Amino acid sequence: MPVRSRRPCAPAPNVLGGPLWTLAGHLAGAVAGWGPLVALARLASPGVVGRYALELALAGPPLLAANLQLRTIFVADARDRFALAAYWRLRAVATAAALAAVAMAVAWIRPELALETALVAVIKAIDQCSDLYHGVLQKSGRLGTSAALSWLKAAAGLGPFLVALASGGGLALGLAAVAASQAALVGLVERPLALGPADCLPRPAGTGSAAELARQAFPAGVILLAISAKVAIPRYFLEWRTTAEALGYFAALSALPTALETVTGALAQAWAAPLARSFHFDRARFARLAKRLAAAGFGASAAALALAWSGPALVGLLYGPDYGQRPGLLGWLLAAGALSSAS
C-alpha cells in the first residue's frame, strides 16, 4: 500500500546500542519461527513436524526471494534516492508474484498440503509488510520500538498457535490463528507507530522509480533465493527419500544453527545504516565498524562450536528426549552453522 515518504527522525547516536536493539528484535523473530517447531515437537508427532517443515520449504524460497532485502536497502539509502512509496509498490508486486509461485508449486508437488501451505505463505506475506514498517522505525532511530514490536509479534503469533494445538484444533487452525493475529498487529499497531510520529515531518519524495529499485534489488533477491534453497533442498530430499518423521527430526535439530546465524544477520542489519553513512562520509569509521562486524561473526562461530558439546541435552530439554538422541547429526549441523556465521 503506498504511503507518503517522511523525514527520518534523528537516528540514535549509540553505535553499540543500535545493533543490540536490532539483535533483540531478530531474536524475537527467531522465537516466532522456532516456537512453532518446539510446540509441534512437544504437542504433536515428528510426522507433523516434518509436514510443517515441508510446507515451510515450499512457501519459503519464493517469498524470501521476493523480500529483495528492501528493508536493508531502504535503511542504507543514506541519500534517500527512492521514496517509501516505491518500496511499497515493489514489495506488493514481488509478494503477489511469490504467492502465485507458491500456489503453482504446491498444486504440482503436494496438492494435499495446499491449505496449510497457503496459510504459511500468507503469514510470510504479512511479515513482508511488517518488515518495511520496521525498516521505517530502524532508519528513524527508533530501534527500541522496533524490538518491542518484534517481541509483541512473537507472543501474538505463538500464543494462539499453542492454544489451537493444545485444544486439539490441529496445525491448520493454529496457522490460521497466527495469520489473523499477525494481520491485526501489523494493521492496528505497527503501521500507526511507524508512520505517525509527530516529529517526523514530510520530505520531498525520492526521484527513483520502483522499476529502478527493482533493478537494484534484483541481485539481493537472487542471493536470498540461494540462501533459502540451502535450507529447503535438504528438506525436499529427505521427504522424497525417507519419511516425514525423519524430516521432522532434521528440521528440529537444524533450527539450532539457524538461530545462531540469526545473531550475525541481526548485527549486519543493525549496522547497515551506520555502515552506509560512514562509507560516504567517514571511511575510517567504516573500517572500524566492518572489523567489529567481522569479530561478531567469528564470535557466533565460536558459540556454535561450544554449543556442540552441550547440544544433545539442550535439544532434549527443548523438544523432548527422543530428539536428543542424535548427537552426530546435531554436531554436523552446528559445524555447518559455525562456518556460515563466520562467512
Side-chain angles (χ1 to χ4, degrees):
M1 64 188 78
V3 294
R4 65 174 180 164
S5 298
R6 307 180 75 91
R7 183 185 304 278
C9 304
N14 189 340
V15 175
L16 179 59
L20 290 178
W21 276 122
T22 303
L23 176 59
H26 279 258
L27 288 177
V31 169
W34 194 3
L37 279 175
V38 177
L40 286 172
R42 286 291 185 178
L43 300 175
S45 66
V48 176
V49 178
R51 191 174 83 222
Y52 176 63
L54 179 61
E55 291 160 359
L56 288 174
L58 290 171
L63 282 157
L64 186 59
N67 181 277
L68 295 172
Q69 289 281 29
L70 291 184
R71 173 179 173 178
T72 300
I73 295 173
F74 173 72
V75 171
D77 185 11
R79 301 183 186 277
D80 291 323
R81 181 184 174 193
F82 300 100
L84 183 56
Y87 291 90
W88 275 113
R89 283 193 290 269
L90 179 56
R91 172 132 298 176
V93 171
T95 302
L99 290 172
V102 171
M104 289 187 291
V106 173
W108 176 48
I109 299 174
R110 293 294 296 272
E112 69 274 17
L113 300 180
L115 175 60
E116 292 175 354
T117 306
L119 290 169
V120 171
V122 168
I123 292 170
K124 290 186 174 296
I126 294 170
D127 193 57
Q128 301 275 43
C129 297
S130 174
D131 184 59
L132 270 185
Y133 290 132
H134 282 262
V136 174
L137 292 169
Q138 182 181 351
K139 190 168 185 177
S140 61
R142 291 172 287 165
L143 296 176
T145 302
S146 177
L149 286 174
S150 296
W151 281 102
L152 178 61
K153 183 166 64 174
L158 188 55
F161 188 79
L162 285 170
V163 171
L165 287 182
S167 63
L171 179 57
L173 181 60
L175 293 172
V178 173
S181 65
Q182 301 292 52
L185 182 65
V186 171
L188 299 177
V189 180
E190 290 187 343
R191 185 178 189 277
L193 283 176
L195 302 179
D199 57 339
C200 292
L201 303 176
R203 64 166 174 79
T207 58
S209 66
E212 292 173 316
L213 178 60
R215 287 193 291 272
Q216 178 177 329
F218 179 76
V222 175
I223 293 172
L224 288 173
L225 183 61
I227 292 173
S228 62
K230 180 189 73 171
V231 176
I233 288 175
R235 298 184 180 192
Y236 299 150
F237 182 80
L238 284 171
E239 199 276 337
W240 172 48
R241 298 294 295 176
T242 61
T243 63
E245 288 77 10
L247 176 56
Y249 289 124
F250 175 83
L253 294 178
S254 63
L256 284 173
T258 300
L260 288 172
E261 291 178 32
T262 299
V263 175
T264 53
L267 291 172
Q269 189 169 37
W271 272 326
L275 282 169
R277 289 192 296 269
S278 301
F279 183 81
H280 287 291
F281 305 117
D282 188 347
R283 292 296 179 89
R285 183 169 181 264
F286 173 81
R288 291 195 299 271
L289 291 178
K291 290 178 181 178
R292 293 181 188 178
L293 187 58
F298 284 107
S301 301
L305 295 176
L307 186 60
W309 292 95
S310 60
L314 177 61
V315 169
L317 181 64
L318 287 172
Y319 300 120
D322 193 29
Y323 288 85
Q325 296 176 4
R326 292 161 174 81
L329 174 60
L330 179 62
W332 282 110
L333 289 171
L334 287 171
L339 291 174
S340 179
S341 296
S343 64

